Amino acid sequence: MSSRRDHLVPASEVALALVTLAAVVGMHRLFDSGSYFGPLAQQAILAHVAVTALRRAGVRLVPAALATATLAVLVITWTRFPGTSWWLLPTGETFGRLGDDVGAAWTLFGDVKAPAPVANGFIAVSAAAVWLLVFLADWAAFRVVATFEAVLPATTLFVFAAALGGPGSTVAGASLFSGAALLFVLLHRIANQESNSRWAGGQRSQGRWSLVMTGAGLTAATVVAAAIAGPRLPGADAEPVVAWRDLTKEEPTRVVLSPMVSLQTKLVDQPDVEVFTVRSERSSYWRLTSLDEFDGEIWRSSYSTGDADGRLPRAVDSAAASDTVTQEITIEALSSVWLPSAYEPVAIDAGDQATDFDARSSTLMVDREVASSDGYTYTVTSQIPAWSADELRTASPEVPEDIRDAYTQLPDGFSQHARTEATRLTQDEPTAYDKALAIQDHLRTFTYDKHMGPGHSEDALLEFLFRTRRGYCEQFAAAFAALARAVDLPARVAVGFTPGVQDPNDPTLFRVRGTHAHAWPEVYLGEYGWVQFEPTPTRGPPRADGWLGISESQDTSSGGAAITDPDPVGGDGAGLEGGDGISSDAAGDLGLTLGDEGAGAAADEGRPDRPIVPAPVRDASRPVGMGALAYLVVVPLAVVGQRMIRRRRASTAGAKVRLGWRSVTESAARAGIGLAPSMTVAEAADRMAAALPESAPRIQQLARSVEMLAYAEVPPGDDEAVRLTREWAAIVAEANRLRPWHQRVLTYLDVRQLVGGRRNRLVAHGGPAPAHGG
């Protein structure tokens, strides 16, 4: 009968590999690009090939585990750290690089809410996890013939990715994984059926293929029905009752209105409203935030904020010379959560007013418990870069992988017409700086019109570029960033205000009004970091002629022309204490420790900035949630580990028979087959045979072996023990089929399995347990 099963095993092996690959696909919401999939899919395929070859070669479990671990180390070294090996072997440099990359990935994991950049440390750790999960799945499926348990390792990976993943397609990933898992279960069950059942003469092939086709049809129908009906069930799109993702955070996820949405309102409907004032020796664009994600409809950004009170961290160190400028800002009617400042803020003193900071986008915000920054007064110190065209042309063309992945992303199917236009504008330019300048200068030939309709979607982009050639700053900045990304220039959209109206009686006071609301692009240029460009005609940043070739300009309908800086601050660190970028006004204990205390997304729809659940409930839920999470991880691992230890310690033929009887009686008891402790082996066998008719002969045969061992002390031969192991695995499988799937899952959460009392009671059916645990 084994020969009948053997030719179906390869199909089961391929199906199990597909389950792993489907779990890897399900990780797409953990990363901000799909570049993770190729490396991890390669690791999964190599792992399955390796463990299959070892098993088919007859290598026993422990040597196979050691060989798999060795191969995993070698393959990860060759693929992730290729320049560090010596004669294809890992070296001290390999492990040093691994430690550095994993440390960087761990830091990134703490600071960045998924989706995260595809860092090498993430891939290396994920590859090691894939090798481990593949080995466990293969062991469960083909060494102990446990169908359900074989799917658990990949399910663990899939659930982990689903729990921690960011926004993305959940239905497609779940459908793919469910289909792959059901296909494996079908093929594996049929392979087991081939070895355990007798077909009517001449009908073996017909019966097998009938099962395959029927099962495949049911699998496809189930997956399609779930994918279509599931998202349409009442409450499928509702907010969670408890934000479990935020149980370990100081604050829940934050959703705020994108500043791009309100640009035209401030420009057209509220042009004369004074939104804030700035007292500064230097004029500047007063920046609110930057937007780095474009989904084809809107530019938005994600944040990982920490408390801001003192020195602020910098995501990118710039080689450009900079002037240090202190600003005293009072917000009157901004009506948002942002705190404006000159780019790049390096320190803040807001007194007892709680503030947050996101280093990646250089964004200052009010604390999440505060609805608006209106009424805030604070002092912020900025280092304003003083770029020149000559130095920017020398910028290194090298772009860090995390910046390239995050800031060159465009939606799938992005317009080929726009890509062609971007290539046409930049193809003759020698440097990244010149390419960006060419896009800027082309857009500045368009017409500024603040009365054009709002919107910066892909359709609006095409309308703006090829038909109207009219718009206001929203369209100019968004178009520049999209065109720059189309030619692989890392770009983002900054939102804020132009300098405002200079008070005639106090040249250090700037009054910023709604009409000064503005958006502009920033481009990453090597060691000079993020560089400001200005594609909007009739607009020009202060002192930008040195690198943009344009004069300072802004809306003058409310005044503000001919701004002069009364006492420009040089780049020699004037106004600093100790030259560390902190003004004397902000001196004192200005240390800052960043954490992942919050994450948010500037979305295209506003919602109240309030906690999802009340603070007392949230505080009480944290320890409960952490305890529940620990239970959900520790107990299943302990249950699986206990079973592995039992199998490993059952090294003799007699011990294997005792283990088989224990496993059968435990499975029968969980399936609701009553087995009283007073029953003899024969009585327990009769009771189980009546409830499990397909396995009745196997049960009786196993019971006879147990009786011979317990009462006559005659152990079976090695070949007989191997056959009995296969038989009791089939009995356990039939007993499990009597239980609903959710009960089988809950088995792994039943801590009572780890208590010795029940174990000893069930072992009594098989006579005295061996001292080594059998």
Side-chain angles (χ1 to χ4, degrees):
M1 291 185 193
S2 61
S3 62
R4 282 185 251 160
R5 180 176 182 273
D6 287 346
H7 68 282
L8 287 173
V9 169
S12 298
E13 292 169 339
V14 172
L16 186 60
L18 292 178
V19 174
T20 304
L21 290 175
V24 172
V25 171
M27 298 174 68
H28 71 282
R29 294 195 298 134
L30 289 176
F31 300 104
D32 60 8
S33 77
S35 60
Y36 81 94
F37 178 75
L40 290 187
Q42 177 190 51
Q43 299 287 338
I45 293 171
L46 290 174
H48 274 286
V49 170
V51 298
T52 299
L54 290 168
R55 171 172 41 79
R56 291 192 170 207
V59 180
R60 300 188 66 177
L61 183 63
V62 173
L66 295 175
T68 302
T70 301
L71 286 172
V73 171
L74 293 176
V75 171
I76 293 173
T77 297
W78 300 336
T79 56
R80 307 313 307 170
F81 308 99
T84 65
S85 61
W86 179 78
W87 290 90
L88 301 181
L89 298 176
T91 63
E93 183 184 358
T94 303
F95 294 108
R97 282 273 305 278
L98 173 64
D100 292 341
D101 287 357
V102 171
W106 181 256
T107 301
L108 190 63
F109 183 81
D111 290 341
V112 178
K113 171 178 170 282
V118 185
N120 193 51
F122 277 141
I123 299 301
V125 171
S126 299
V130 165
W131 276 85
L132 174 62
L133 296 178
V134 166
F135 179 81
L136 293 175
D138 187 87
W139 163 75
F142 303 110
R143 291 185 184 265
V144 299
V145 198
T147 304
F148 180 76
E149 286 78 358
V151 183
L152 280 179
T155 303
T156 301
L157 179 62
F158 181 81
V159 171
F160 174 82
L164 298 183
S169 174
T170 56
V171 174
S175 300
L176 178 64
F177 182 78
S178 300
L182 290 173
L183 176 64
F184 165 75
V185 170
L186 172 65
L187 294 176
H188 199 250
R189 283 285 309 281
I190 293 175
N192 292 338
Q193 188 79 6
E194 286 284 290
S195 65
N196 298 323
S197 301
R198 290 192 172 94
W199 299 98
Q203 301 301 312
R204 180 184 309 151
S205 177
Q206 181 179 350
R208 179 195 316 125
W209 285 108
S210 176
L211 284 175
V212 171
M213 297 307 294
T214 302
L218 290 173
T219 295
T222 300
V223 172
V224 171
I228 295 175
R232 290 169 173 77
L233 291 175
D237 295 327
E239 292 292 327
V241 176
V242 177
W244 61 269
R245 291 171 186 262
D246 300 312
L247 291 177
T248 60
K249 296 179 180 179
E250 289 296 323
E251 302 292 349
T253 298
R254 181 179 194 174
V255 179
V256 295
L257 184 68
S258 169
M260 287 281 271
V261 175
S262 60
L263 268 176
Q264 194 180 46
T265 299
K266 293 191 183 316
L267 287 169
V268 178
D269 299 336
Q270 304 170 350
D272 297 322
V273 174
E274 186 170 286
V275 289
F276 60 90
T277 60
V278 182
R279 185 173 297 280
S280 172
E281 299 291 336
R282 173 70 62 84
S283 61
S284 176
Y285 275 8
W286 314 117
R287 187 176 180 275
L288 299 181
T289 187
S290 66
L291 312 175
D292 57 14
E293 302 171 19
F294 181 52
D295 61 6
E297 293 297 327
I298 192 171
W299 284 85
R300 54 165 60 88
S301 188
S302 57
Y303 305 101
S304 178
T305 57
D307 291 342
D309 185 13
R311 182 183 293 114
L312 303 174
R314 304 180 71 177
V316 177
D317 290 326
S318 174
S322 60
D323 298 334
T324 301
V325 178
T326 298
Q327 310 122 70
E328 296 178 5
I329 299 176
T330 300
I331 300 178
E332 300 165 5
L334 187 56
S335 301
S336 75
V337 298
W338 316 103
L339 297 173
S341 71
Y343 184 80
E344 177 180 19
V346 295
I348 185 172
D349 182 2
D352 58 358
Q353 302 165 115
T355 59
D356 289 343
F357 183 67
D358 174 63
R360 188 166 180 259
S361 60
S362 294
T363 299
L364 285 162
M365 306 169 70
V366 297
D367 185 77
R368 64 186 55 251
E369 300 294 341
V370 180
S372 171
S373 59
D374 292 354
Y376 263 57
T377 297
Y378 56 96
T379 299
V380 61
T381 301
S382 302
Q383 289 186 347
I384 302 179
W387 297 296
S388 71
D390 289 339
E391 67 179 3
L392 292 179
R393 284 192 172 93
T394 67
S396 169
E398 298 297 324
V399 178
E401 184 178 357
D402 58 335
I403 290 180
R404 181 178 300 280
D405 290 343
Y407 295 100
T408 59
Q409 162 269 337
L410 286 170
D412 293 337
F414 183 73
S415 168
Q416 187 58 48
H417 292 298
R419 292 184 184 275
T420 301
E421 178 73 352
T423 301
R424 182 187 70 81
L425 293 173
T426 61
Q427 60 187 353
D428 296 328
E429 303 300 334
T431 68
Y433 163 74
D434 289 306
K435 292 179 187 294
L437 203 60
I439 296 173
Q440 170 193 282
D441 293 346
H442 172 72
L443 293 178
R444 287 183 70 86
T445 65
F446 289 21
T447 301
Y448 179 83
D449 185 351
K450 66 181 179 182
H451 297 287
M452 293 293 291
H456 51 268
S457 66
E458 185 174 337
D459 291 339
L461 169 68
L462 298 178
E463 180 83 358
F464 171 71
L465 286 176
F466 302 112
R467 198 176 77 83
T468 65
R469 294 168 63 95
R470 303 176 70 89
Y472 61 100
C473 58
E474 175 182 352
Q475 286 84 32
F476 282 96
F480 180 104
L483 292 176
R485 291 189 175 196
V487 289
D488 292 329
L489 294 178
R492 63 190 186 187
V493 175
V495 182
F497 293 81
T498 55
V501 179
Q502 194 170 23
D503 191 306
N505 299 318
D506 185 353
T508 66
L509 182 62
F510 298 87
R511 302 186 182 277
V512 184
R513 296 171 178 166
T515 192
H516 300 124
H518 191 46
W520 62 93
E522 296 172 343
V523 177
Y524 181 86
L525 295 177
E527 64 270 29
Y528 297 105
W530 291 102
V531 177
Q532 179 183 27
F533 284 81
E534 182 53 274
T536 304
T538 73
R539 298 292 185 272
R543 299 166 303 281
D545 54 322
W547 79 93
L548 297 183
I550 56 179
S551 300
E552 178 178 354
S553 180
Q554 65 173 340
D555 187 314
T556 59
S557 59
S558 298
I563 289 178
T564 59
D565 293 328
D567 184 15
V569 180
D572 56 357
L576 297 180
E577 185 174 281
D580 59 357
I582 303 172
S583 71
S584 57
D585 294 335
D589 183 9
L590 301 183
L592 175 63
T593 302
L594 273 183
D596 60 340
E597 298 184 4
D604 57 344
E605 56 183 13
R607 280 185 273 178
D609 188 11
R610 62 178 183 269
I612 297 176
V613 293
V617 176
R618 188 171 66 249
D619 293 340
S621 67
R622 287 193 193 113
V624 174
M626 292 301 295
L629 181 62
Y631 184 94
L632 292 174
V633 172
V634 173
V635 172
L637 288 176
V639 169
V640 173
Q642 182 191 66
R643 295 180 183 181
M644 293 179 65
I645 292 172
R646 284 183 182 179
R647 294 176 186 272
R648 180 70 185 91
R649 295 172 68 181
S651 57
T652 65
K656 290 177 181 177
V657 170
R658 289 190 179 93
L659 175 61
W661 184 253
R662 177 188 304 149
S663 300
V664 167
T665 54
E666 286 179 344
S667 298
R670 284 194 292 265
I673 302 172
L675 300 177
S678 60
M679 282 183 173
T680 65
V681 171
E683 290 172 338
D686 290 340
R687 178 70 60 84
M688 289 188 291
L692 306 171
E694 292 183 13
S695 299
R698 303 187 189 94
I699 294 171
Q700 296 294 351
Q701 190 172 25
L702 179 60
R704 286 192 292 273
S705 296
V706 171
E707 289 178 325
M708 290 291 292
L709 179 63
Y711 304 117
E713 298 185 358
V714 177
D718 290 340
D719 292 341
E720 177 71 5
V722 172
R723 185 182 64 79
L724 288 173
T725 298
R726 189 162 53 246
E727 297 290 349
W728 68 255
I731 300 170
V732 169
E734 184 180 355
N736 285 337
R737 288 198 293 273
L738 296 179
R739 306 166 63 210
W741 68 267
H742 65 276
Q743 289 186 4
R744 297 174 65 187
V745 172
L746 291 176
T747 298
Y748 291 88
L749 300 175
D750 187 357
V751 74
R752 292 175 297 175
Q753 297 179 81
L754 305 176
V755 180
R758 179 178 179 180
R759 170 176 176 260
N760 293 333
R761 183 172 69 252
L762 295 174
V763 171
H765 292 303
H772 61 274

